[in-house]
Amino acid sequence: MRCAYCVPSAILIAVIILPSTVVAEQADWSGVWDTQWRGGGAVLQLQQDGDRVAGSYPGFEGVVEGRVDGQQLSGSWVDAAGEGLFTFVMSPDRQSFMGRFGTGEWWTGMRTDTELADTLFGALDQSSPERTLKSFLRAGNKSGQGRSDRLGVVIPLLDFSTHEEPLTAYDRIDLARLLFQIVDRLTFRIWELRRHADLSAETEYTVELAQAGSGVSYTLTFRTDQRSDDSGEQAWRLVVPLEEQMRESLQDLLEIHGGVEPHSREHHELRSPRDALRTFIEQWDKVRMGNSGLFLKTMDLSQIPAAVREEEGALLGEYLIEVLYRIGLPLRQEIPDDPNRRAPYTHFVHPVGVVELHPLQQDDGTKRWQFSSETMASARQLFMSLEDMPLADVSVRGDSTPFFEIRNQVRSIHRNLLQETAASMEVWQWLALLLWLLISIPLSWVLTWLVDQLFRLKTGEGDDHSLSPTIRFLWPLRLIFVATIGLLALRTFGLPQTVDIPLRVVIGATLSIAGGWLAYHLVDKVSKVLEAHSSRYRYRDEILRSLGTALAKLAVIIGAILFLAEILSLPYQGVVAGLGIGGLAVALAARSTLENLIGGLTLFADKPVEVGDFCQLGEHLGVIEGIGLRSVKVRSLDRTIITIPNAEFVNLNIENLTRRDRILLRNTISLRYETTPDQLRWILAEIRQLLLQHPMVAPEPARARFLGFGDHSLDVEIFAYVKTNDWNDFLSAQEDIFLRLIALVDESGTGFAFPSMVNYLASDSGVDEERTERAEAIVQKLREESQLPFPNLGLQTRRELRDTLDYPPKGSIDFKSRPDTE
């Protein structure tokens, strides 16, 4: 028999075994790792042989040895500070590791780029003073603030002979860091370091370097000895002065910066030409990852329209970085670092343009150094002129953007495709534009058809609109798709500004107009859908729909206008700001409009009525047909439309008849005076039974009561609630009740009273003398006993008379005999 658990078991075993197999695969630890621990770090070079790993971190004269088990590396470390055990575990992407050593100390690392590895572990060139200094500066520039451990690899470049006391590896790194901070404050050209070529007979060489903008100088000393190999070449080392001397010199150099050493990111504030160029080069890698904010700040892009400034600035920045790659990226110490400099700094001059940085005053009063607008305008022409120049250092160039990748592919196909034509356009760019049109137009038709099928833009449309769905929806969609594909294409075409900017303006204007047109009519369509929904569910959301539709249309119009103004570089910001200043005047001029708008918002918040409600509005009676931003429309009983401004509507006494849960039935019937008390009692009882029996009448508080004596009738009041909020249903129920009342009155033997005068012809019976005498005798007795009840009954009498009558009267269904009478 087949096992029901075999297949699931096999799957479970596979799930367990497969990850184990992957984990069991041995990791490769060979390479250069940039590592850190609490309070420090080191650049670690590892070499793996089988499952054995050995390595070093020269900064601290440290070595590591360990054994690999899957993704884990365990072993021991030894450096100038001590020794111990460690455990590293490589991440799944094999680009970083997490480790620990000692008692709860962490040690993390990540693989370094090729440039850093070559800088820190490549051959150190000591063949001349300038090359020794260049190697030292390259390592120092890579070290960064707080990573002085990276300077450990250049310790062989330094001469510590002036220090008599023994130095640990940590001491040597601290002194190297201090010396680098001094040199970093100076400005000089490496190739100008040695004025004459022959130093073969020299063992010591000194050079005086100055700080830009302050006149403070510092002397560097180089010493040489013979290499240990048989080459016989000189090995120049940079002499490290005593710590006290270096700190004093560093303080003098920091005076121009307020006596405080700049922090690691202070160059992002672009206070000098060095800061601007350094930030520009550092931030280029982040531009390729989509973070271009700081990169764009290094360039004066004020001549480019704001709407296309970011994309155009990134493209021009890439042209400029390609120019710098061909000129050769300088050491940052070769660029002036004077924060008080006012004159522009010219970095490169060519017949077609210059690479120049200049200071620009900001709105907050600070000064920011940027590549000049002239430099940015000529960046493309500079690149075209230098394109055939080989890169000065291939290792420092990162990945290219799609534009340069495409251009390199075009170049590999045929060099003539890069030939410039009219408007500085290259041949391949004209072909690319033509290809864009050939692809985008049919593609936009297909995409529009898909959107139409998905959202049914042409369905559900009545004949109440003067424009067809094709004009309202389909054509704007097609234009939007063509323009959007064009924007995506322009990012990779790298067109010259003379073509790119006008084309972007046309595309942007198309998006603004077509997008605004489409959005406006989409608001209408959505509003109609919501209106149908509201009608189906008794207009519950009609106020929100009406106000939302009006506000959405207004927002679409304003947004489209502002976007178009941005595209056309119109100064709308001043107009918007002026609205705040002229707000009072606008408010006074449009007071009634604002009142109606606020009234409409009040109606939405309070919701006293909904569309379709039947209401009494002051002297008007009718059905609410529409609630807008300005007014409320009411359909009167005469079928006319009454328009009431919102500001006036919210102040009316509104009686919403639709929201009644019941309708009051209240009427008085008049019976003839000839009706006897028992007849009246019978009628009252029958009416009460009728109200209780009727299915349309609420039992509570339905009642029928003898109300009083009218001029011509005995009045009986009927008070009851009919269980409906529909007036027609109420009239039907009332009609049925009244017809039944006629039958009851007729059956009782009496009749309805009506204003009339009856003349009775009979002889006068006169006054009953016996009863008169009896009444007068009683009153006389009360007078003699001082018991006459005028103006009021006596207190004792009132107490004796209180509650002595039977009520309900004897014989009624609710009668209860009094205890004192039993």
Side-chain angles (χ1 to χ4, degrees), residues 565-775:
E566 181 80 11
I567 292 294
L568 300 178
S569 297
L570 299 178
Y572 68 88
Q573 292 88 348
V575 176
V576 175
L579 292 179
I581 301 174
L584 180 60
V586 173
L588 291 175
R591 181 175 61 86
S592 60
T593 302
L594 292 176
E595 286 178 351
N596 291 328
L597 175 61
I598 294 172
L601 297 176
T602 302
L603 287 175
F604 168 67
D606 191 38
K607 292 187 177 178
V609 295
E610 298 281 355
V611 172
D613 286 356
F614 184 66
C615 301
Q616 178 74 48
L617 308 169
E619 61 181 12
H620 303 296
L621 183 65
V623 178
I624 305 295
E625 285 215 341
I627 301 173
L629 281 179
R630 196 196 72 83
S631 63
V632 176
K633 292 180 173 57
V634 181
R635 175 77 67 176
S636 70
L637 297 181
D638 295 331
R639 306 304 296 163
T640 60
I641 292 293
I642 303 172
T643 301
I644 305 175
N646 290 339
E648 179 182 336
F649 187 87
V650 296
N651 293 319
L652 292 175
N653 292 325
I654 303 172
E655 184 179 357
N656 194 325
L657 303 177
T658 299
R659 294 189 182 179
R660 296 176 296 191
D661 58 344
R662 300 170 182 176
I663 300 179
L664 175 63
L665 170 61
R666 188 175 187 177
N667 207 302
T668 300
I669 62 174
S670 301
L671 301 177
R672 296 171 61 94
Y673 262 109
E674 292 84 356
T675 305
T676 66
D678 285 343
Q679 278 181 306
L680 187 56
R681 289 187 179 97
W682 186 87
I683 291 175
L684 290 172
E686 290 297 319
I687 294 176
R688 292 166 187 167
Q689 291 180 29
L690 170 63
L691 297 178
L692 290 173
Q693 292 172 340
H694 203 288
M696 291 293 291
V697 176
E700 296 293 339
R703 64 175 182 264
R705 295 293 179 187
F706 175 40
L707 193 62
F709 302 93
D711 291 340
H712 308 283
S713 61
L714 301 176
D715 295 334
V716 175
E717 182 191 46
I718 299 173
F719 185 96
Y721 284 101
V722 178
K723 295 184 292 186
T724 183
N725 62 357
D726 184 87
W727 185 250
N728 288 326
D729 292 341
F730 167 76
L731 292 178
S732 297
Q734 178 180 255
E735 178 184 84
D736 180 69
I737 292 171
F738 286 173
L739 290 174
R740 292 176 187 270
L741 286 175
I742 293 174
L744 286 177
V745 172
D746 183 64
E747 188 177 352
S748 70
T750 184
F752 292 103
F754 47 88
S756 61
M757 182 177 294
V758 180
N759 295 320
Y760 292 93
L761 301 176
S763 59
D764 191 359
S765 59
V767 179
D768 191 330
E769 294 183 359
E770 182 179 353
R771 294 178 182 178
T772 301
E773 291 176 357
R774 185 179 64 182

Side-chain angles (χ1 to χ4, degrees), residues 429-439:
Q429 291 174 326
W430 286 113
L431 296 176
L433 287 178
L434 179 61
L435 185 63
W436 159 53
L437 292 176
L438 293 177
I439 293 176

Side-chain angles (χ1 to χ4, degrees), residues 413-567:
I413 296 174
H414 202 291
R415 184 68 172 81
N416 289 340
L417 292 175
L418 302 181
Q419 184 176 355
E420 285 194 8
T421 60
S424 300
M425 288 274 288
E426 296 177 352
V427 174
W428 74 273
Q429 291 174 326
W430 286 113
L431 296 176
L433 287 178
L434 179 61
L435 185 63
W436 159 53
L437 292 176
L438 293 177
I439 293 176
S440 63
I441 292 177
L443 183 59
S444 67
W445 253 254
V446 173
L447 293 175
T448 300
W449 179 82
L450 290 175
V451 172
D452 181 33
Q453 295 299 310
L454 183 62
F455 296 102
R456 302 182 180 277
L457 298 178
K458 293 192 294 185
T459 61
E461 296 285 336
D463 298 330
D464 56 342
H465 207 290
S466 58
L467 299 177
S468 68
T470 302
I471 296 177
R472 283 182 290 146
F473 302 119
L474 302 189
W475 271 109
L477 265 178
R478 291 164 185 164
L479 291 174
I480 290 172
F481 282 130
V482 171
T484 303
I485 296 172
L487 279 182
L488 296 176
L490 289 182
R491 294 180 179 180
T492 58
F493 289 171
L495 304 179
Q497 292 188 48
T498 53
V499 176
D500 184 75
I501 292 179
L503 194 55
R504 286 181 183 272
V505 169
V506 171
I507 291 176
T510 301
L511 284 175
S512 174
I513 297 172
W517 177 272
L518 176 64
Y520 185 90
H521 290 289
L522 281 178
V523 169
D524 251 345
K525 187 174 183 65
V526 172
S527 176
K528 291 183 181 299
V529 172
L530 293 178
E531 183 179 10
H533 180 275
S534 298
S535 301
R536 189 178 304 119
Y537 295 100
R538 302 182 63 85
Y539 301 95
R540 291 177 184 173
D541 301 323
E542 182 58 23
I543 295 181
L544 178 61
R545 184 197 68 81
S546 178
L547 293 178
T549 300
L551 290 175
K553 287 183 176 180
L554 183 62
V556 166
I557 293 173
I558 294 176
I561 292 174
L562 292 180
F563 183 71
L564 184 60
E566 181 80 11
I567 292 294

